[in-house]
Amino acid sequence: MAKALARREPVRLSYRDGQIMVTPEDQDIFFISAEKATEACRDAVKTDERIAVFKTRFLLPLHDWCIKHSDRVAACYLPRPAGHIQAFVVTVSHRFDFGLAEEVADLERELARAGWRVGVSQLPAAEDRSLATFFNPEGALEVYAQRGSTSDQGRAEPQLPEVDSN
């Protein structure tokens, strides 16, 4: 068996009548290679599934919440996660919106109940450069931005990535 694993030439597969044939002496190497290949495929499928779930069960509900509260929400950002997801909701007011605070907390609880490790913070209206005090805007996702808000000036309306409904 150790001799088979030390072998340097590729395992040659034979195909006969729609079947893959592996010689008995190549079985060990074949199983190791096949397992690694299926892990890679499985990881790719899991990644695609995770991204689809993130889009449909996190980004879309967060975006919908922002639209529902658009009279008080100017923008929403997700910086690159460091351990957990942190969402920053920027209000239209230059002061902390105590009335919105309870609804932000409800949003955070709802996302947590859905299985997301997330913190949602409210930030008063500020210029883009001031936002960098709270998070690194490089690589952050802009989940929502009102037309005419500071974060939206000079940019087209933000679009969420398309989600396959299947």
Side-chain angles (χ1 to χ4, degrees):
M1 184 163 153
K3 184 178 178 186
L5 292 177
R7 180 178 162 172
R8 297 206 184 264
E9 61 187 64
V11 172
R12 289 197 174 92
L13 304 176
S14 300
Y15 303 89
R16 189 176 306 138
D17 298 324
Q19 298 292 317
I20 298 173
M21 311 302 273
V22 180
T23 60
E25 58 270 6
D26 289 337
Q27 284 292 340
D28 291 339
I29 296 172
F30 173 77
F31 284 125
I32 291 169
S33 296
E35 182 61 29
K36 297 262 187 227
T38 57
E39 279 178 27
C41 292
R42 191 169 42 233
D43 288 347
V45 169
K46 286 180 185 177
T47 298
D48 286 347
E49 289 173 5
R50 283 192 307 260
I51 290 170
V53 167
F54 177 66
K55 288 176 181 177
T56 59
R57 296 188 188 162
F58 185 84
L59 288 179
L60 287 175
L62 181 58
H63 184 259
D64 291 346
W65 184 91
C66 291
I67 290 172
K68 181 179 172 188
H69 297 87
S70 63
D71 59 326
R72 295 188 283 173
V73 174
C76 180
Y77 299 94
L78 290 178
R80 288 185 183 158
H84 74 282
I85 301 169
Q86 183 65 48
F88 291 94
V89 174
V90 181
T91 66
V92 295
S93 172
H94 291 282
R95 296 178 181 253
F96 188 85
D97 186 337
F98 288 96
L100 187 63
E102 189 172 324
E103 294 180 57
V104 168
D106 289 343
L107 169 65
E108 183 175 321
R109 276 191 295 275
E110 198 61 36
L111 292 169
R113 274 189 218 114
W116 299 101
R117 288 181 28 193
V118 62
V120 182
S121 299
Q122 178 190 152
L123 302 177
E127 293 182 20
D128 282 349
R129 67 177 188 264
S130 297
L131 295 176
T133 305
F134 299 97
F135 65 90
N136 182 357
E138 187 177 321
L141 300 178
E142 183 179 83
V143 176
Y144 172 80
Q146 279 189 16
R147 287 182 178 254
S149 69
T150 302
S151 63
D152 188 47
Q153 289 176 0
R155 284 190 255 163
E157 184 173 346
Q159 298 291 317
L160 284 176
E162 289 186 28
V163 176
D164 187 357
S165 59
N166 292 336

